[in-house]
Amino acid sequence: MAATPADVKEYPNSYVFVVDMPGLKSGDIKVQVEDDNVLLISGEMKREEEKEGAKYIRMERRIGKFMRKFSLPENANTDAISAVCQDGVLTVTVQKFPPPEPNKPKTIEVKIA
Amino acid sequence: MAATPADVKEYPNSYVFVVDMPGLKSGDIKVQVEDDNVLLISGEMKREEEKEGAKYIRMERRIGKFMRKFSLPENANTDAISAVCQDGVLTVTVQKFPPPEPNKPKTIEVKIA
């Protein structure tokens, strides 16, 4: 099971996972959430069917099944995930939960005794 | 200058060069022939402009300029080259010149003396 290079970015309101998938179409890629906090990206890179009479002179491109797993931070909202594949690059965006309201200092009115 | 993985295939009538270019569009890629027999493929992988407040947690994807050079065999027709980029994969097809006609055995009529 091969790996494929990925970037992970954090934005104020989201986490973004960018994964290289040259030659893959949206239908070849699976994006899942496991155990509530693991983002699982998998797929299969295929070489196209060979026409008769073809002969490989050089073979460097990776093929086969691949998988990437990312642990999601506690504030990741696994119900708000979107994924887009364009030009062989998959971008998965996971929204963050809004931060908890800061505890406002409580003001106690001082009465004149 | 980074390299990017490539496959090279030979067909009865052509040579085909398949190069991974995740994230690149046709306009970002240059395909040239140098010195009559060198196929030169180059381009630049860019990270998209960062929005304010973005922070990289992981950075594995290759970026920057890259180039691949391939020596073409003698029977490659450098006037018949086509290139297509789809799903982050560039495919360059170089037609072969037709093989020279085989020398047919010459038949000499045998006359009756």
Side-chain angles (χ1 to χ4, degrees):
Chain A
M1 195 95 73
T4 178
D7 291 346
V8 182
K9 284 181 286 187
E10 182 175 358
Y11 289 97
N13 300 316
S14 62
Y15 298 99
V16 176
F17 303 81
V18 185
V19 186
D20 279 349
M21 300 200 166
L24 269 80
K25 295 189 190 301
S26 307
D28 303 329
I29 304 166
K30 232 159 82 178
V31 178
Q32 295 164 290
V33 176
E34 240 187 24
D35 302 333
D36 278 347
N37 71 340
V38 176
L39 179 69
L40 198 79
I41 298 169
S42 59
E44 189 169 357
M45 315 241 187
K46 293 172 188 156
R47 282 214 162 77
E48 67 273 35
E49 288 289 313
E50 281 317 321
K51 295 176 216 158
E52 215 167 315
K55 184 172 88 181
Y56 271 93
I57 298 175
R58 190 186 283 263
M59 206 187 267
E60 298 169 354
R61 296 171 61 230
R62 58 176 88 215
I63 51 157
K65 291 190 180 170
F66 69 90
M67 197 178 64
R68 288 300 302 254
K69 273 186 184 196
F70 302 97
S71 288
L72 293 171
E74 269 192 19
N75 65 346
N77 181 354
T78 53
D79 292 323
I81 300 183
S82 62
V84 177
C85 191
Q86 199 186 16
D87 298 324
V89 178
L90 176 74
T91 303
V92 180
T93 303
V94 182
Q95 297 298 326
K96 287 184 188 176
F97 284 116
E101 287 285 314
N103 289 328
K104 277 184 192 148
K106 220 163 158 178
T107 306
I108 292 111
E109 205 187 331
V110 178
K111 289 180 181 162
I112 296 161
Chain B
M1 196 92 76
T4 179
D7 291 345
V8 182
K9 285 181 285 188
E10 182 174 358
Y11 288 96
N13 299 316
S14 61
Y15 298 98
V16 175
F17 303 82
V18 185
V19 187
D20 278 349
M21 300 200 167
L24 270 79
K25 294 187 190 301
S26 307
D28 303 329
I29 303 165
K30 234 160 83 178
V31 178
Q32 295 164 288
V33 177
E34 239 186 28
D35 302 333
D36 278 346
N37 72 341
V38 177
L39 180 68
L40 197 79
I41 297 170
S42 59
E44 190 169 355
M45 316 242 187
K46 292 173 190 157
R47 281 216 162 77
E48 68 273 35
E49 289 288 313
E50 282 317 321
K51 294 177 216 156
E52 215 167 311
K55 186 172 87 181
Y56 271 93
I57 298 176
R58 191 185 282 263
M59 206 188 264
E60 297 168 356
R61 296 171 59 229
R62 57 177 89 215
I63 51 156
K65 292 191 178 169
F66 70 90
M67 195 178 66
R68 288 299 303 252
K69 273 185 184 197
F70 302 98
S71 289
L72 293 171
E74 267 191 20
N75 65 346
N77 181 354
T78 53
D79 292 324
I81 300 184
S82 62
V84 177
C85 191
Q86 198 184 16
D87 298 324
V89 178
L90 176 76
T91 302
V92 180
T93 303
V94 182
Q95 299 298 325
K96 287 181 185 177
F97 284 116
E101 287 286 316
N103 290 328
K104 278 188 191 145
K106 220 164 161 175
T107 305
I108 290 109
E109 203 187 336
V110 179
K111 291 182 180 159
I112 297 161

